[in-house]
Amino acid sequence: MAETAQPRLATHPGGSGRPNVLTSYDPRTGEIVGNYAVMGSSEINRIVRAARSAEKWWAELGFSARKRWLLDWKHSIAKRAGELTEILSEETGKPAADAAIEVMHAVESLDWAARNATRVLDRRKLGSTWLTRNQHASVGYLPLGVVGVLGPWNNPVFTPMGSIAYAMAAGNAVVFKPDELTTGVGVWLADSWNKLAPNQPVLQVVTGDHATTAALCRAKVDKIAYAGSDAGSREVITLCAQTLTPVVVERNGKGTMVVHVDAKLDEAAEAAVFGAMANAGQNSTGIQRAYVANSVYDRFLELVIDQARRLRPGADKRASYGPMILESQVDVVRKQVRDALARGGRAVVGGMDSIRDPYIEPIVLAEVPEESLAITGEGIGPLLIVNRVANMDEAAQRINAVGNGVAVSVFTRDVHGIESFAEQLRVGVVTINSSTTYAGIPALPFGGVGEYGQGHHHGDQGLREFSRTLAIARKRYRAPVNLSTFDRHPRHLRTAKAIFRMRHGRLS
């Protein structure tokens, strides 16, 4: 395993003392991945102005023309997917297969958004009541204008595409700020659009550090879409509040699994280990902890232990997963494991010795107290907690008590009766007999509950997230019973009251 020869991220100062060059490194080898400009406020504002100009052209094209452009862009990305996969793998250390899967999911999201924007957002007729039957009512969804997208480092292609594609399909221009650690994928995506439409900067990338992010938040774009850490989301919300810029937020943190007494334990164990360990446990759609019915707990834990012990991180093609992308996250996992063990949790696979920066071998902890940092904190890292519960009600209570309303995966053979259980949970998504697969369904809206997230990505809601509603009511003819005048005829009011009593004054 190669030692990291350089810091994961470096900035080089210019003459003014502020960094003007951002250099990132492959976390597996320490080799330089790329050098990028650190853009300041003046450049950000210039790019936003260009986006506003391009958005006028883009919005006026209409749904059909935008669909053709977006499908052409999708085709271009798919043809050159190998290039994007290679950059993604270099910047994150993901195995090539995992990087390829991420790119495929991103392209599917783009395809769905392009093909469904007309159905979801185009103007449609609405019904009226007998009192307003002379009115023609309709609703449609118009672009916001310019959307700023702040991408994460853990899935730097798939996650931001859930905002970029849906915002563009809705008619917006996008200014994309990728995370400092994964700037190259953002540059590649913007370049791929620029090759298609060189004179229409509907998608642009801005590169830089924390100050660049702050500058974009202050640039008075029409909405910011953020995906990342808890602390980062709070900071972005605070910055955007200064200009009253609305924000849609997807915060880090993995979900939970519930294993019922009648579950297929081998399938549940496989899904739990994959959900916890894939991408070195850095998927926001993954599994942080499993609550298992007491009668099947021991057998489930045995299956999990057997599967987890087969995994091995590394930089070679046979590795199960790669390194931790964010260097500081290694210490977060170390603190969580130390705290869980100090509070009485048991390490059944790995432990403190599993943490060898930048890699963390699989760690499975059992019987971890609910107040431990490993449960209450952001779940990022190849760490799975397996706790026993007496029944489904106790599982629901524990999930709701933690409050990070991400997603819950329930394993049971009673697929019809599970809906009432799902409705008890304060989460955004519930899956049955699968863990992370739901993220690959572009039509399925994804959003958190409470502090976990604001707004939605994907699905119809994801398209409307980047639109403004315009309702129109048009008078078609003079109403035979006109109540909207001070000069109303008494007979009209008597007629209206009689109809009202017939419609609503008796039990139906």
Side-chain angles (χ1 to χ4, degrees):
M1 181 173 66
E3 296 293 329
T4 303
Q6 295 281 351
R8 179 66 179 92
L9 184 69
T11 52
H12 308 291
S16 65
R18 183 170 182 266
N20 59 12
V21 177
L22 182 76
T23 300
S24 62
Y25 301 87
D26 187 325
R28 301 165 298 187
T29 64
E31 295 177 354
I32 292 176
V33 173
N35 293 303
Y36 307 97
V38 177
M39 296 182 179
S41 297
S42 60
E43 194 160 8
I44 300 298
N45 291 333
R46 178 188 62 76
I47 288 171
V48 170
R49 286 196 298 271
R52 293 208 178 278
S53 177
E55 192 275 334
K56 293 178 182 177
W57 166 79
W58 185 242
E60 289 174 358
L61 284 178
F63 291 108
S64 296
R66 288 199 297 268
K67 174 182 174 181
R68 290 193 296 271
W69 276 96
L70 290 173
L71 292 180
D72 284 347
W73 186 36
K74 175 205 75 168
H75 181 65
S76 175
I77 295 173
K79 282 179 62 178
R80 300 169 54 208
E83 297 174 25
L84 182 55
T85 296
E86 184 177 356
I87 295 172
L88 176 58
S89 188
E90 286 177 347
E91 289 199 313
T92 64
K94 291 184 182 185
D98 290 354
I101 292 169
E102 180 177 343
V103 170
M104 286 190 282
H105 280 311
V107 169
E108 290 292 342
S109 292
L110 174 55
D111 181 78
W112 190 91
R115 295 183 187 279
N116 287 274
T118 304
R119 174 186 61 81
V120 176
L121 304 176
D122 204 7
R123 182 159 296 279
R124 67 179 187 275
K125 182 180 177 181
L126 301 175
S128 60
T129 72
W130 64 276
L131 286 167
T132 55
R133 66 178 58 185
N134 69 320
Q135 298 285 326
H136 180 279
S138 67
V139 64
Y141 300 87
L142 302 178
L144 295 173
V146 177
V147 173
V149 175
L150 303 174
W153 46 263
N154 52 350
N155 287 297
V157 177
F158 171 67
T159 299
M161 188 60 84
S163 297
I164 293 170
Y166 290 69
M168 290 175 68
N172 302 282
V174 172
V175 178
F176 177 32
K177 163 61 173 68
D179 188 89
E180 295 94 312
L181 300 180
T182 54
T183 301
V185 295
V187 170
W188 190 97
L189 286 171
D191 285 347
S192 68
W193 173 264
N194 187 57
K195 286 182 171 65
L196 196 67
N199 299 318
Q200 298 295 347
V202 176
L203 172 63
Q204 299 176 88
V205 67
V206 296
T207 61
D209 54 13
H210 177 269
T212 309
T213 298
L216 182 56
C217 290
R218 296 190 182 104
K220 296 184 179 180
V221 295
D222 298 288
K223 195 163 198 171
I224 289 284
Y226 170 83
S229 69
D230 180 10
S233 67
R234 293 176 186 275
E235 185 170 4
V236 166
I237 291 169
T238 300
L239 285 168
C240 289
Q242 298 171 14
T243 54
L244 299 180
T245 302
V247 184
V248 54
V249 171
E250 180 183 339
R251 280 169 48 190
N252 287 338
K254 293 185 289 189
T256 308
M257 177 179 288
V258 177
V259 183
H260 196 27
V261 291
D262 64 350
K264 295 180 180 179
L265 296 183
D266 53 344
E267 293 183 9
E270 180 182 25
V273 172
F274 182 82
M277 310 297 174
N279 192 25
Q282 298 168 112
N283 288 333
S284 297
T285 58
I287 301 296
Q288 180 181 13
R289 61 199 188 278
Y291 292 121
V292 187
N294 188 58
S295 61
V296 296
Y297 179 86
D298 292 334
R299 178 55 183 158
F300 176 81
L301 189 58
E302 289 175 3
L303 292 169
V304 165
I305 291 170
D306 179 64
Q307 295 217 17
R309 283 177 174 167
R310 302 178 194 174
L311 306 180
R312 180 182 59 81
D316 57 279
K317 292 182 179 180
R318 295 184 178 181
S320 305
Y321 55 83
M324 300 301 291
I325 303 168
L326 181 62
E327 190 176 10
S328 62
Q329 191 61 38
V330 176
D331 285 334
V332 173
V333 175
R334 185 180 286 113
K335 290 177 183 177
Q336 289 181 349
V337 173
R338 183 184 294 120
D339 178 74
L341 296 177
R343 292 178 185 271
R346 296 187 294 118
V348 295
V349 176
M352 294 300 296
D353 293 340
S354 301
I355 303 172
R356 300 185 179 94
D357 190 0
Y359 295 94
I360 301 178
E361 295 177 355
I363 301 173
V364 179
L365 305 180
E367 317 272 4
V368 175
E370 295 294 305
E371 65 273 15
S372 69
L373 294 176
I375 290 180
T376 61
E378 291 181 336
I380 301 177
L383 167 63
L384 174 63
I385 296 166
V386 184
N387 282 351
R388 68 175 78 230
V389 291
N391 49 47
M392 299 285 276
D393 288 339
E394 183 182 353
Q397 290 170 6
R398 292 196 184 191
I399 291 167
N400 291 338
V402 173
N404 57 348
V406 191
V408 171
S409 301
V410 183
F411 276 76
T412 177
R413 296 174 198 259
D414 183 15
V415 295
H416 300 293
I418 204 63
E419 288 188 5
S420 59
F421 171 74
E423 291 172 357
Q424 299 178 43
L425 305 174
R426 286 190 53 78
V427 296
V429 179
V430 175
T431 69
I432 302 170
N433 295 329
S434 68
S435 56
T436 62
T437 309
Y438 73 91
I441 306 173
L444 188 73
F446 174 70
V449 174
E451 289 192 359
Y452 176 75
Q454 297 183 137
H456 286 84
H457 298 83
H458 296 189
D460 293 5
Q461 289 89 332
L463 286 166
R464 290 180 182 141
E465 193 70 55
F466 300 105
S467 307
R468 64 180 180 89
T469 304
L470 178 61
I472 297 176
R474 172 174 55 84
K475 180 180 175 180
R476 297 187 298 158
Y477 53 84
R478 182 178 179 85
V481 177
N482 186 13
L483 303 181
S484 300
T485 174
F486 288 113
D487 195 28
R488 70 175 70 91
H489 197 287
R491 183 176 68 253
H492 288 184
L493 184 58
R494 290 195 299 272
T495 301
K497 287 181 177 180
I499 295 174
F500 175 79
R501 285 193 297 270
M502 286 190 293
R503 284 176 54 81
H504 304 295
R506 65 183 71 176
L507 293 176
S508 56

